[in-house]
Amino acid sequence: MELKDLNPQIVWKNFYSLTRIPRPSKKEGKAADFLYDFGKSLGLETVRDEVGNIIIRKPATPGMENRKGVILQGHMDMVPQKNADKVHDFEKDPIEAWVDGDWVRARGTTLGADNGLGVAVAMSVLESKDLKHGPVEVLVTVDEETGMTGARALKPGLLYGDILINLDSETEGELYVGCAGGLDITAELPYGTVPIPAGYKAFRLNVKGLKGGHSGMDIVLYRANANKVAARALLPLLRDMGVKLASIDGGSLRNAIPREAFAVILVPEDKVAQVEKSVADTCSAVKGEYASTDPEASVFLEAVAVPESYIEETAALAAVRAVSGCPDGVWRMSDAVPGLVETSNNTAIVKSDDGRIFIKTLMRSSVDSAKEAMAEEARSVFELAGFKVDFSGGYPGWAPDSSSEILHLMKDVYKRLFGKEPAVMAVHAGLECGILGGAYPHWDMVSCGPTILSPHSPDERANIPTVEKWWRFVTATLENIPEK
């Protein structure tokens, strides 16, 4: 079976179109062109703002002109993650999506269901001729995944609606009314290099086989972080066994739990057996500790060519200690919402390059003061290790509104359709609603979506039956929007 054969066909057709268009964050120009041309081809008013956000307006169906205006909102960019053995250029190549039973997956890469399915549903509402609805606007933002710059740059007055339905959640049957805010931390340490003397052998330390995942949605699963595992393996080698660090490279995106990390090390010839045993012991410990969450975890050495130089010892050991000491994973669970992560950090990227070691993290919290406290904890670790620290990209959370009219309406619609009430949730991931609500404080907002598992990783997959339920739910909601 192919995507075009799935129901609802209009949604999967539009999603398939999006999979053919490369659209990694900050490189969404082709997707923006496609969406702009799509709106124009339907004869609809279509606007591209200064940063590339696309707005498309569809008039109300006859007799529903006095209903409140609804904005359907999603983002056009996707997280570009792939398995190490997969040859794929996210700036040029289409996503190879395929049907696996009740799931749609991609071959060795992220699928882009986050947030391609949300955009596909919004496109389908614009394209459909048999739906009943009041005035509809579709807002598709750029660069949600790496800074929410599209949402940040949205100017007041461009959109006219009263209600925003965000289409970027990932569990069908749940309505989201709050989300975490976020903060980026970048730590930088300059280093000198030392020529490699005789008597050393070179190895690459590999951390592989981890599941990774979305640093908001999946952080509560307590999966291993490849950068933390690499630092754990490296620390005794550098501190106690005379091993030198030539390079380190782990993780690639702030909002993805790192699945792989690599380091080139120089081992004294008389310490090879000792180092091999230490790495094997680390691997055994990690596999035991993460047997349920990361059963394929692997830490191993492979011989490589000897490089020209290594990172001077003080900087190398400081960097490994900083990664080891950096707070990571769930920091605190919410007291207000059972089962919700309140505050977390993802030690996302560790990289040596051109005389500098960089450590990049993404912190999330639904409590601003807790986010600030965790950030200061991380700053203290980095500065004690000699790093220069920069905070950037901070964005606010979205506070729940229990009196929301659209929330109560959507609960009623869902119960009529499916015989049960949806769960009302807050999410630890960062949705754009908090930022958008700053520019449009009058908006009544809810987020919903189909079931998508393991976003931000090559294991990302979308559940086909929930997409059909979600489409029915969104279109029924539009039909029942009240008058102004």
Side-chain angles (χ1 to χ4, degrees):
M1 181 177 288
E2 299 181 4
L3 263 65
K4 64 181 178 61
D5 300 316
L6 301 176
N7 288 318
Q9 289 186 350
I10 189 172
V11 173
W12 288 108
K13 176 203 72 171
N14 285 322
F15 177 69
Y16 177 78
S17 296
L18 290 167
T19 67
R20 315 315 293 165
I21 303 170
R23 49 192 175 91
S25 300
K26 300 189 185 299
K27 301 290 179 66
E28 312 97 327
K30 293 178 182 177
D33 290 343
F34 168 77
L35 291 168
Y36 184 87
D37 292 343
F38 176 83
K40 288 291 189 180
S41 72
L42 296 174
L44 301 176
E45 181 185 357
T46 305
V47 176
R48 189 195 320 240
D49 74 5
E50 295 174 356
V51 297
N53 298 323
I54 300 296
I55 299 167
I56 306 173
R57 297 187 175 93
K58 184 180 183 182
T61 51
M64 301 184 71
E65 294 84 357
N66 201 38
R67 303 292 178 98
K68 290 184 176 181
V70 174
I71 300 104
L72 300 176
Q73 189 265 323
H75 62 87
M76 66 184 77
D77 59 320
M78 65 172 284
V79 169
Q81 287 278 283
K82 67 182 185 70
N83 292 326
D85 59 354
K86 176 68 176 179
V87 177
H88 186 92
D89 186 338
F90 282 98
E91 295 185 31
K92 297 179 181 178
D93 300 334
I95 298 298
E96 301 172 36
W98 62 289
V99 178
D100 180 19
D102 280 344
W103 299 89
V104 171
R105 300 174 179 265
R107 299 191 187 280
T109 70
T110 37
L111 173 64
D114 173 16
N115 183 227
L117 278 172
V119 176
V121 161
M123 292 170 63
S124 301
V125 169
L126 295 173
E127 186 179 5
S128 296
K129 301 184 183 303
D130 57 352
L131 299 180
K132 296 179 180 180
H133 55 78
V136 170
E137 296 169 288
V138 167
L139 168 64
V140 188
T141 55
V142 299
D143 194 30
E144 188 268 355
E145 299 288 5
T146 62
M148 300 196 180
T149 54
R152 293 174 189 277
L154 186 70
K155 292 184 177 179
L158 283 178
L159 292 131
Y160 310 138
D162 308 293
I163 295 165
L164 181 124
I165 301 177
N166 171 275
L167 303 172
D168 192 21
S169 295
E170 290 154 3
T171 305
E172 192 280 322
E174 295 179 354
L175 301 178
Y176 289 88
V177 294
C179 72
L183 178 68
D184 293 342
I185 298 182
T186 300
E188 178 182 340
L189 179 70
Y191 64 82
T193 58
V194 181
I196 296 172
Y200 284 84
K201 291 187 175 181
F203 296 88
R204 184 169 72 168
L205 175 76
N206 300 273
V207 179
K208 302 180 76 173
L210 306 184
K211 290 183 178 179
H214 190 300
S215 67
M217 302 296 290
D218 295 328
I219 203 81
V220 74
L221 300 177
Y222 296 95
R223 292 172 177 167
N225 179 307
N227 288 327
K228 299 289 282 189
V229 173
R232 179 174 175 174
L234 288 168
L235 185 56
L237 308 187
L238 273 61
R239 184 188 58 205
D240 305 326
M241 302 180 199
V243 170
K244 313 301 183 186
L245 179 67
S247 64
I248 189 166
D249 186 1
S252 59
L253 295 168
R254 290 186 194 265
N255 54 6
I257 301 168
R259 300 174 297 111
E260 298 177 332
F262 308 95
V264 175
I265 59 174
L266 287 303
V267 180
E269 291 178 351
D270 63 346
K271 295 289 182 68
V272 170
Q274 185 181 358
V275 167
E276 289 176 338
K277 182 180 184 304
S278 179
V279 171
D281 289 345
T282 299
C283 182
S284 178
V286 169
K287 288 180 75 70
E289 292 166 16
Y290 295 93
S292 296
T293 58
D294 277 295
E296 302 300 320
S298 181
V299 187
F300 62 96
L301 295 173
E302 61 178 331
V304 296
V306 177
E308 295 182 355
S309 62
Y310 63 85
I311 298 168
E312 55 95 5
E313 291 93 333
T314 302
L317 187 55
V320 170
R321 283 176 165 157
V323 176
S324 296
C326 179
D328 184 76
V330 176
W331 200 59
R332 180 180 173 86
M333 299 298 289
S334 173
D335 294 328
V337 182
L340 176 69
V341 178
E342 177 207 275
T343 307
S344 75
N345 185 48
N346 180 41
T347 310
I349 300 168
V350 179
K351 187 175 182 65
S352 60
D353 182 47
D354 194 26
R356 288 175 171 77
I357 297 173
F358 297 92
I359 304 173
K360 300 181 180 182
T361 87
L362 171 56
M363 294 189 169
R364 303 178 189 266
S365 185
S366 52
V367 177
D368 285 344
S369 60
K371 181 176 65 179
E372 293 165 4
M374 192 182 198
E376 290 303 324
E377 181 176 317
R379 185 207 291 269
S380 297
V381 170
F382 293 144
E383 290 184 343
L384 284 169
F387 281 75
K388 177 185 176 182
V389 181
D390 178 64
F391 292 170
S392 64
Y395 59 88
W398 169 29
D401 178 8
S402 60
S403 65
S404 164
E405 291 184 4
I406 187 60
L407 170 63
H408 292 295
L409 170 67
M410 293 178 77
K411 286 173 63 178
D412 291 342
V413 169
Y414 193 93
K415 188 172 183 179
R416 289 201 303 270
L417 286 175
F418 306 118
K420 62 178 182 179
E421 285 198 358
V424 178
M425 310 283 288
V427 64
H428 189 57
L431 298 172
E432 294 168 286
C433 298
I435 296 171
L436 296 172
Y440 294 84
H442 68 284
W443 277 353
D444 194 1
M445 300 185 289
V446 166
S447 178
C448 61
T451 296
I452 300 170
L453 299 183
S454 301
H456 299 191
S457 85
D459 198 35
E460 180 184 4
R461 56 206 185 273
N463 184 258
I464 296 164
T466 64
V467 173
E468 185 166 15
K469 286 184 68 177
W470 181 45
W471 170 248
R472 290 177 59 198
F473 176 48
V474 170
T475 54
T477 297
L478 293 175
E479 185 172 350
N480 285 277
I481 295 295
E483 293 185 352
K484 298 177 183 178

